[in-house]
Amino acid sequence: MAILVYAEHDGSALTSGALSALACAQQIGGEIDVLVTGSGVDEAAAAAAKVAGVRKVLVADASHLEHHLAENVAPVIEAVAADYEYILAAATTSGKNIIPRVAARLDVQQISDISGVEAPDTFVRPIYAGNALATVRSEDPKKVITVRTTSFDPVAAEGGEATVESVDPGADAGLTQFVGAEVSSSEGPELTTARIVVSGGRGLGSAENFKLIEELAEELGAAVGASRAAVDAGYVPNDYQVGQTGKVVAPDLYIAIGISGAIQHMAGMKESKVIVAINKDPEAPIFEAADYGLVADLFEATPELKKALTAA
Amino acid sequence: MKILVPVKRVVDAYVKVRVRSDGSGVETNNIKMSMNPFDEIAVEEAVRLKEAGTASEVIAVTIGGSQAQEQLRTALAMGADRAMLVEADEGLQPLAVAKTLNAVCDQESPDMVIMGKQAIDDDANQTGQMLAALRGWAQGTFISALEVGEGEATITREIDGGLEKLKLPLPAIVTVDLRLNEPRYPKLPNIMKAKKKPIEQTTTADLGVETSTGLTQVRVEEPPARKGGVKVDSVAELVDKLKNEAKVI
């Protein structure tokens, strides 16, 4: 059995999500190849070759692949698909954008966002915002899968010695044109891979007050997250959103401040190892999921917590 | 410009779902059903384009049982011009839905398909991208802004690192995210009028679509419950617990 993992990278290394998709591939079992696409990706390909357990790195390097437009990347995956029984990618916004396009072209019913591998043809995935778990079996000759990254610990980025091979990057599909990107410049660790996440909700009341969350996060070396309510209210940009329709996180410590705990939000953080909730409403649903709950005014408790940590 | 908006009947977003004891799925009998919230945003966007004079016709389509006509009535009440029910077995997989929509596109030749980025029941997030692939069209997924120009659409996508702006030649497919707009509540006279509008009916068989796929559901279970913890009385106690009991800081 051979497995192809479409791996996202930042130009110099594979992303943590890609390493989690590789961990999922190892659970399925078989020879694992990695596909790296982009423009000027020698460094990323070399990094991919060092990842533990990779047999071969396929590289498609061309200017029309620079922005990873689905219309241009999907045909590259499709062109090499004949050699593989599995095609995997992380269930990130990029994986979710590209992979269904590949699945449809291969006439395969994709399996989205899997959180477990029960057998080589049987997978577990959350449905209804994580309120139920579905076990599904695929009889398709090829399995096309996106992987919930928090459910698989990333493989080691070092220790492998894969060969690197160029593949045909195809031509520009001539459809979508990249206009621009607004990349958020948040300092501190990345939300989906941080060991500690501090998230704020509607209880903060304003973008100005959200600084309380950022200051506490800085003290803890934590990433900053937010509930949908806080994002919709414009306190922080969209990519801070933790939840079923935002990012799914599973840090060692998740601190939810001024977040009531809508199902939508819980779906994105309930796999965290330790959950702390600070909310002035003792009936807030977030307390049902929290290991440690503090019923308090966040405007007093948050600075006090920061101070206690600084002193320690 | 003609816009097609696919909508799906799902368990209402505010209902706490219960897994059936036999593991066959989630209980949907006697449960409030609604239009998938992302699809409501799609209908709203299409209707706004109509109101702005950009779109000439908005067609809502659903695939499923005859009860899904309720969701088509909602789309009509919001301002869709026509509605179409494609009768099919319950629980069609995204690939089958995309093939069915592809057949509907063959008939209707829309300039744009606007649809939800995912349904809140199976959370698959596939159908729009699959339809774009089957038609060989450009796709703009997870959009939070849409501007339609002459023969093209400029969209803003919500992505992991922030926002991305793309230009798509029409015809194209866009899938909408939460922040694109706030759907309206239909007014009573519009709800009454929508009740009288005809709903066009066809079936997947009539459209010649093969709806079986290679995926079967084995069982559905409750996720392991997270056991609630303790309440602490002070910040000092919290810090102590995190340090000495949970050992996470």
Side-chain angles (χ1 to χ4, degrees), chain A residues 207-289:
Chain A
E208 182 64 24
N209 291 342
F210 212 87
K211 290 209 174 68
L212 287 174
I213 302 296
E214 283 156 3
E215 286 162 10
L216 177 61
E218 196 186 339
E219 185 61 42
L220 283 163
V224 178
S227 68
R228 180 189 160 190
V231 175
D232 284 356
Y235 304 167
V236 285
N238 64 282
D239 54 312
Y240 282 50
Q241 186 182 329
V242 172
Q244 179 64 15
T245 60
K247 290 196 171 103
V248 178
V249 302
D252 290 345
L253 174 60
Y254 188 88
I255 305 179
I257 299 177
I259 291 177
S260 63
I263 292 173
Q264 205 283 129
H265 184 74
M266 306 268 235
M269 47 64 92
K270 67 180 181 185
E271 304 299 322
S272 304
K273 290 196 182 70
V274 176
I275 297 174
V276 170
I278 300 175
N279 201 303
K280 68 174 180 217
D281 175 10
E283 304 299 320
I286 189 83
F287 287 121
E288 286 163 33

Side-chain angles (χ1 to χ4, degrees), chain B residues 54 83 184:
Chain B
T54 310
R184 71 193 67 192

Side-chain angles (χ1 to χ4, degrees), chain B residues 4 82 111 154 190 229 235:
Chain B
L4 185 74
R82 284 168 51 206
D111 301 285
T154 305
N190 294 343
V235 167

Side-chain angles (χ1 to χ4, degrees), chain A residues 67 69-71 92-94 96-98 100-101 103-105 107-112 118 122 125-140 174-184 195-196 220 228 231-232 238-239 241 244-245 247 252-253 263 270-276 278 282 287-295 301 304-305 308-309 312, chain B residues 11 13 15-17 19 26 28 38 41 93-96 99 117-118 120-127 129-134 136-142 152 154 157-169 177-179 213-224 226-236 238-239 241-243 245-249:
Chain A
H67 299 293
L69 300 172
E71 297 86 339
T92 57
T93 48
S94 184
K96 288 174 185 172
N97 186 39
I98 295 167
R101 203 163 170 114
R105 299 270 295 169
D107 199 25
V108 168
Q109 176 51 57
Q110 178 187 316
I111 312 158
S112 289
E118 203 173 275
T122 309
R125 56 181 302 269
I127 56 174
Y128 287 91
N131 285 295
L133 292 176
T135 302
V136 294
R137 184 185 302 121
S138 169
E139 278 149 30
D140 279 316
L175 290 169
T176 301
Q177 275 175 274
F178 178 82
V179 179
E182 266 175 55
V183 180
S184 324
R195 203 183 65 80
I196 303 178
L220 283 163
R228 180 189 160 190
V231 175
D232 284 356
N238 64 282
D239 54 312
Q241 186 182 329
Q244 179 64 15
T245 60
K247 290 196 171 103
D252 290 345
L253 174 60
I263 292 173
K270 67 180 181 185
E271 304 299 322
S272 304
K273 290 196 182 70
V274 176
I275 297 174
V276 170
I278 300 175
F287 287 121
E288 286 163 33
D291 299 280
Y292 303 109
L294 176 62
V295 179
E304 196 186 332
L305 179 56
L309 292 164
Chain B
V11 172
V15 170
K16 178 144 179 53
V17 297
V19 173
V26 160
T28 52
F38 290 100
I41 297 170
Q93 296 279 340
L95 181 63
K99 287 177 179 175
K117 75 164 181 179
Q118 73 189 63
I120 60 164
D121 49 6
D122 66 6
D123 286 327
N125 195 331
Q126 298 175 8
T127 306
Q129 298 89 310
M130 287 183 155
L131 178 60
L134 296 176
W137 288 1
Q139 69 186 48
T141 51
F142 328 142
E152 64 182 34
T154 305
R157 303 180 60 219
E158 296 199 345
I159 58 169
D160 286 337
L163 298 170
E164 182 181 68
K165 210 170 190 182
L166 303 176
K167 194 180 276 184
L168 318 176
D177 217 319
L178 295 167
R179 278 168 283 276
T213 66
L215 198 68
T216 49
Q217 188 172 286
V218 180
R219 64 177 177 277
V220 174
E221 310 160 279
E222 299 268 0
R226 193 179 174 101
K227 91 176 165 343
V230 296
K231 290 258 171 71
V232 293
D233 292 321
S234 67
V235 167
L238 175 62
V239 172
K241 294 268 192 199
L242 291 177
K243 270 200 184 125
E245 191 175 86
K247 295 185 168 57
V248 285
I249 58 170

